[in-house]
Every structure is written in structure tokens, then in C-alpha cells.
Amino acid sequence: MKNYLFNAAENYFYSKSPDPFSYKDAGDTEKNLFHIISNSSDKSVFSQELMSRAHDWPTYYHLTSLRSNILRPFENKIKHGSTLELGAGCGAVTRFIGELGGKVTALEGSMARARVIGARCIDLPNVEVVADLIQNFHTDEKFDVVTLIGVLEYSRLYVKSDDSVQTLLELARAYLKPDGIVVLAIENQMGLKYFCGAPEDHFGCPMFGVNNSYTETSIVTFGRKELSDRCKKAGFESIKLYVPVPDYKTPVSIIYPEGFSENQNQMGWDIAPILSGAVFVDRQNPVHPTFSLEAALTVTANNGLGQDLANSFLFELGNQANDLNKNILAAHYGTQRPAKHSKETRFTINANAVTANTRYVSNTPNLDSAPWAPSVYHAGAHWHSELIRLVNRPVWSMKDLAGWANVWINALKKHATLGAENTIPELAHYKRLLPDNFIDATPANFIVKNSHEDFFFDLEWNLSKAIPLEFVVFRGLFMSFIRITSCARPGQDVPLKLVELIQGIMQIHGLEILKNDWELFLHIFNSFQNQTQDISGDVLNEHTSQIATEFLKVRQLFT
């Protein structure tokens, strides 16, 4: 490249006369990442080798496969075109773009970070890494995609201009082909979790963004309208807003612009379970929440505020209108799993009906040919969401809880058979058995349409043996309660220790785990949880270790 020298040993270009760039993660993160990546044979998006070496939030953030999900809505345009990544960080997203097969120029101001990207993408000839400041980089090339992922908020620190935010947006637009798009991801200054007490991401101080404590020379984030107006001012004719949840850093789901259309609600489409379901996996939740984020997100969705109060934004900006993703409502990604289990489920609107389609995404370069498996989208009451509502009413009781569980347990019983055939021999004394794929028939995978109609969905796993009803109820209750990040204080009859609460609900319904079977139940539970992560069944996983010790997360205030 003109005006650049190439560090062949570390696979990146650098300026002949570099300007200083001070940004870095805390401690020796960049140095540690370079060591981890350089000494790993598998550098791919889904590398279990890399993830096994993530030991803290910075290394997890830079190595998790969840990072790639932020660009999955645009994968076809990326795969068949060219991408300029402005502020490429440590290469997690760069690696995904490179694996898709399109040409990518990854521009990063920090030389220490550029060498990390070079190491991560050493085996991808379509990836070009450049260490230089965004405002110093010049090329006559125009791109199909330009990305600003976690970058715009730093513009006041690193871009010298009277209005650095506006300058950076205009710079990104200047690199576009006529039909190209800018992909902009950033935190929302008005994100609901920040009202709930989560610290502002960059300053670590609660209410910092909500109080607009930013200065003209500090990091800054914006609300939806202010940022949209800035994009219009930069000259973008097409502005589409997607919502990644729980945020843009580690999204497990993305709601597309069409997913917020009130017209789709008439088809039974409901974004609330997607919004609230992601709270549990957010690693940056408030430590002492003032209200239930899960419950409040449902309220925001029902009142058309899902975009305004999202934790993060994902903007698709263009110079002209396009039909990209026009029929897609949302996508959910099971990509925190090992490669062979990683999948994407897309919800689409066709012929006035909502459909769900699933494919496995581990073989990234061949996504175009990855087959989609269609399934039915069931509208109705999502039963885990009903639990969230229940436990956030003041002084909720065991009677309330038993009534909620009764609907789900009765639905399980409809699928139960009598007899001990094809089950684990040591559990043959449990007479009501469920099909082997019902191991994950939890309330989170259960929809109630009306008093006579209910559905289990997403039963993708199986144990290869029939399963006692008692085990499915035990696991389903535990997985339901462990996902509740906060609840109102219950009545005095409700045990706060989860194992006692679960046993109490089961006893009300005439279900009992015999004392001698507890160890076997825990072993099956542990083995199954590990199976989903491709981990040896003998390793004690986090959930198993929590069963005997975890308590309900009762809010101390406003309950």
C-alpha cells in the first residue's frame, strides 16, 4: 500500500510517519491477546481453543463468537463485496468478515491492536490490516460496506475537528459505493438498563449518560433521535435502525427494522420475549437493579419504545433506499455454542404470516448454501414471560407459583407415557416418561395460545433415552428461576433458596425426587448442560454448581 510499510512477521501495514494513538484496554490486554492468538492453532470465529483461554471480561469480549453476530444481517453484502472496517479493535469482527470471503481492509489506530488483528487473520489472504488513524487514512477505493462498530463514541477523543462526531460520519459516507451501506453500532445514551442502575459503559458510573455528564472532549453516546438527526445531517438518505440485544457487543438476537412495525402485531408477532430473554446473558447488568429489566422491556415493547430504550443501536445507513432484509423481523443466534451446534433462527413475514426458519452457521464461507429448516411460529403467551410477570408482583405466593407451573406441568403430562421401557435403568421406578427430546421442554420453550391449545417449540436436543417427568420438571424450574435477574419480595411462604423452592412446587403437584436419586439427577443435568457446550460430562459446569447454593435474586428496594 502506498505510504505504508508492511510488517511481514506480524501481518499488518503501518504508516511511515505514524501519529500517536493512546487508546488501549486496561492492563496488558492487547499483549495477552496477541500471546493467546499467536499460540493458538485455531483462530476461527468459533474457536473453542481461543475461548478456553478467555479469563476475564476483556479477553472474553475480544474472543467470543457472539461478536460476529452484529454483522450477520449484512453477511451477503459483505461476502460478495468489499468492506472497510474503521476502528477494527482486536479483530473479532474482522475475522468474521474475512471468513465470509469478501475483501476487507481493517483500519486500526493502535499498532498494538493492529498486530493482534494481524495474528487473528494471518491465514486469511483477503484481509488487509492497516495501523493508522482514521483521519489520516486515504484511499481512492470505494466500498460496499463501511463499519463503525464501537467507534463513533470515541470520535471526540481521537478525531480533530470542530464537530468530530459529524466529521467521522461524513468520512465513513465518503468511502461508500453508490449502493453501499455504513454499519454503525453504539450504546444508547437512553438505554433502559442505564435507568435501572447499570453503570455507563465507558466511565463505570451509574446515570452518567442519562445525566448527560459528557463533555466536548470526552467519550459520548446519543439517544435515538439525536443520532438519527446526525446521520441525516451527514447526508445519508436511508436510515434503518436494528436493535441488538442485550447490546451490540455480544448480541444473541437482533430485531430488524420491520420487527418493530405495529402491522406485524396483528399477525401475532411479539418482540417482548426476545428483548426480555436476553437480559440474563448480559454480562454488564446492574448489580442492584431498581426494577425488573425483563418485565420493563416487555412494557417498552408493548408501547412502541423498543428502539428508543434499547441498550444499543445498530444503524444501517445508505445513500439510497434499498430492500435489504425487508421481510425479516428478527434473528436469534445460538452462536455461544461450539461450532457444530451454532445456529441462527430467522423470523420472517410472508403472505401475512410469521414463519421461523433455522440453519446451522458453523461453516461460515458456505452460508449461501446452508439449508434453512422451516418451522411454525406460534403466537400466544410465552410461559417464561408469564413467570416474570408473576414474580414481580408484590408479595407473590407459592399458590401463585403453583398455578403458573400447573399449566406447564399438565402440558408435559399430555406427552408422558407409562412404563419403564427405554429409560435409564436406574430410573425405571419413575413411571411417567417423556420423549427423549423433551429434556429441554422448559417454560422458556412453551407457548399457551388458549386454555385448550399449547405448544412446545425448539426441542432440538435429545438424551437418547426416555426421561422421567420429575427430571424435566426439576430442570425446567431451575432453568426458569436461574434466568430471573431480579424479582419482587415474595410472601413469607416462598422459600428463597432455589432448591427448596423447586422441591416445594414439585410436592404441590405430587412430584418427588427420591433422596437416593438426587446424585443421578444432578449427573444427568450436568452431562446434558456440558453436551450443549461440547464439554466432557465429568466437568462440573456453572449451573450444576449453583443448584444447591443459589437463591432468588430479590430486589432490596422498590419491592
Side-chain angles (χ1 to χ4, degrees):
M1 294 182 69
K2 187 179 179 181
N3 300 324
Y4 292 96
L5 302 173
F6 185 59
N7 183 332
E10 296 182 342
N11 188 37
Y12 69 91
F13 291 90
Y14 62 96
S15 174
K16 294 177 181 177
S17 53
D19 284 340
F21 185 77
S22 60
Y23 181 83
K24 66 185 295 291
D25 270 328
D28 294 324
T29 295
E30 286 83 2
K31 182 179 178 180
N32 292 337
L33 283 169
F34 181 76
H35 177 78
I36 290 170
I37 293 169
S38 299
N39 290 282
S40 297
S41 57
D42 181 5
K43 307 177 195 298
S44 68
V45 167
F46 290 106
S47 172
Q48 288 295 102
E49 183 181 8
L50 289 179
M51 276 308 298
S52 69
R53 299 178 182 180
H55 59 274
D56 55 15
W57 166 247
T59 50
Y60 174 85
Y61 170 68
H62 289 298
L63 298 175
T64 176
S65 60
L66 292 176
R67 292 287 307 282
S68 64
N69 293 339
I70 198 67
L71 286 181
R72 289 190 183 276
F74 318 106
E75 61 192 19
N76 285 330
K77 196 167 186 68
I78 291 169
K79 178 174 182 176
H80 301 290
S82 58
T83 299
L84 172 62
E85 192 182 1
L86 298 177
C90 291
V93 174
T94 314
R95 179 74 205 193
F96 174 67
I97 300 172
E99 287 185 14
L100 284 174
K103 179 180 178 294
V104 54
T105 300
L107 181 64
E108 171 52 45
S110 162
M111 199 170 295
R113 290 183 151 217
R115 70 196 288 260
V116 176
I117 306 172
R120 186 77 193 264
C121 301
I122 189 71
D123 58 330
L124 298 176
N126 54 321
V127 175
E128 187 175 69
V129 184
V130 182
D132 201 0
L133 303 184
I134 292 174
Q135 63 268 34
N136 291 350
F137 177 74
H138 298 287
T139 179
D140 294 329
E141 185 178 358
K142 301 296 182 181
F143 297 85
D144 297 283
V145 180
V146 176
T147 71
L148 283 170
I149 299 173
V151 172
L152 187 67
E153 54 266 48
Y154 293 96
S155 56
R156 290 181 177 178
L157 293 179
Y158 301 113
V159 177
K160 296 178 181 178
S161 169
D162 291 339
D163 189 343
S164 53
V165 174
Q166 211 60 35
T167 296
L168 187 50
L169 287 170
E170 291 168 3
L171 272 174
R173 179 172 174 266
Y175 287 120
L176 284 184
K177 292 180 180 179
D179 63 345
I181 60 170
V182 169
V183 178
L184 166 64
I186 187 173
E187 298 90 352
N188 177 12
Q189 180 183 14
M190 306 295 287
L192 189 65
K193 77 174 181 180
Y194 303 120
F195 288 99
C196 193
E200 201 274 354
D201 297 64
H202 311 93
F203 294 93
C205 178
M207 302 300 167
F208 193 95
V210 174
N211 288 330
N212 198 28
S213 300
Y214 307 117
T215 71
E216 291 302 314
T217 57
S218 75
I219 296 168
V220 63
T221 61
F222 305 96
R224 181 197 60 78
K225 184 180 184 303
E226 187 175 3
L227 189 51
S228 295
D229 288 346
R230 280 186 168 275
C231 293
K232 291 176 186 176
K233 185 178 178 181
F236 292 105
E237 296 291 329
S238 175
I239 300 172
K240 298 180 182 179
L241 177 54
Y242 301 66
V243 167
V245 293
D247 57 26
Y248 83 85
K249 300 180 186 75
T250 55
V252 296
S253 302
I254 294 178
I255 303 173
Y256 286 50
E258 192 64 24
F260 292 97
S261 171
E262 293 184 8
N263 295 332
Q264 314 310 341
N265 296 341
Q266 300 172 13
M267 307 297 131
W269 171 242
D270 183 9
I271 64 171
I274 297 176
L275 290 172
S276 63
V279 175
F280 171 70
V281 297
D282 190 347
R283 289 179 173 240
Q284 295 179 303
N285 272 326
V287 176
H288 302 292
T290 55
F291 56 83
S292 166
L293 271 171
E294 296 99 317
L297 281 166
T298 299
V299 178
T300 66
N302 293 342
N303 287 278
L305 296 171
Q307 290 174 306
D308 290 87
L309 294 174
N311 294 328
S312 291
F313 298 135
L314 174 61
F315 279 95
E316 175 204 316
L317 309 171
N319 291 319
Q320 60 189 42
N322 64 65
D323 291 331
L324 190 67
N325 299 324
K326 67 177 182 178
N327 294 324
I328 304 176
L329 303 176
H332 177 70
Y333 307 107
T335 52
Q336 60 271 48
R337 306 166 172 181
K340 67 180 180 181
H341 299 313
S342 296
K343 65 176 186 176
E344 173 185 5
T345 299
R346 280 186 184 172
F347 302 94
T348 59
I349 183 76
N350 293 294
N352 294 324
V354 179
T355 59
N357 299 277
T358 299
R359 66 176 174 178
Y360 285 89
V361 298
S362 59
N363 194 7
T364 305
N366 296 318
L367 274 177
D368 285 349
S369 59
W372 288 96
S375 61
V376 178
Y377 176 79
H378 296 293
H382 183 253
W383 217 238
H384 188 263
S385 297
E386 292 299 309
L387 175 63
I388 296 296
R389 290 181 62 201
L390 187 159
V391 299
N392 281 290
R393 296 169 184 153
V395 202
W396 54 278
S397 67
M398 282 294 284
K399 181 180 178 181
D400 298 328
L401 206 53
W404 166 82
N406 186 60
V407 177
W408 166 63
I409 291 172
N410 282 342
L412 289 173
K413 288 178 178 178
K414 294 177 188 176
H415 298 272
T417 58
L418 298 177
E421 299 83 5
N422 193 34
T423 190
I424 299 169
E426 294 86 348
L427 297 177
H429 48 281
Y430 291 97
K431 301 305 179 184
R432 284 180 293 195
L433 302 174
L434 289 165
D436 57 4
N437 67 327
F438 265 63
I439 191 166
D440 203 26
T442 66
N445 290 338
F446 181 55
I447 294 287
V448 177
K449 188 169 185 179
N450 53 51
S451 59
H452 304 292
E453 195 173 6
D454 48 50
F455 308 91
F456 288 99
F457 65 94
D458 203 22
L459 304 184
E460 60 176 310
W461 304 97
N462 68 72
L463 200 61
S464 76
K465 296 285 186 181
I467 319 159
L469 171 67
E470 286 79 356
F471 178 84
V472 175
V473 172
F474 152 72
R475 180 179 180 273
L477 289 174
F478 176 78
M479 297 305 292
S480 296
F481 289 118
I482 202 71
R483 291 177 63 86
I484 297 172
T485 61
S486 78
C487 66
R489 184 166 295 282
Q492 293 184 354
D493 65 328
V494 178
L496 298 184
K497 194 171 185 179
L498 288 196
V499 68
E500 296 173 3
L501 180 61
I502 292 168
Q503 288 174 327
I505 297 169
M506 293 182 69
Q507 288 172 4
I508 291 172
H509 290 89
L511 301 172
E512 182 183 5
I513 302 173
L514 300 179
K515 184 177 181 180
N516 292 338
D517 295 333
W518 263 105
E519 288 300 320
L520 182 55
F521 268 47
L522 292 176
H523 174 74
I524 297 170
F525 179 94
N526 191 79
S527 296
F528 174 69
Q529 297 301 124
N530 286 356
Q531 177 189 336
T532 66
Q533 297 297 320
D534 222 13
I535 299 171
S536 169
D538 296 331
V539 176
L540 183 67
N541 69 63
E542 179 184 8
H543 284 331
T544 308
S545 66
Q546 291 173 315
I547 288 175
T549 60
E550 195 70 11
F551 286 77
L552 282 172
K553 299 177 181 68
V554 179
R555 289 187 301 278
Q556 299 304 307
L557 299 174
F558 308 110
T559 58

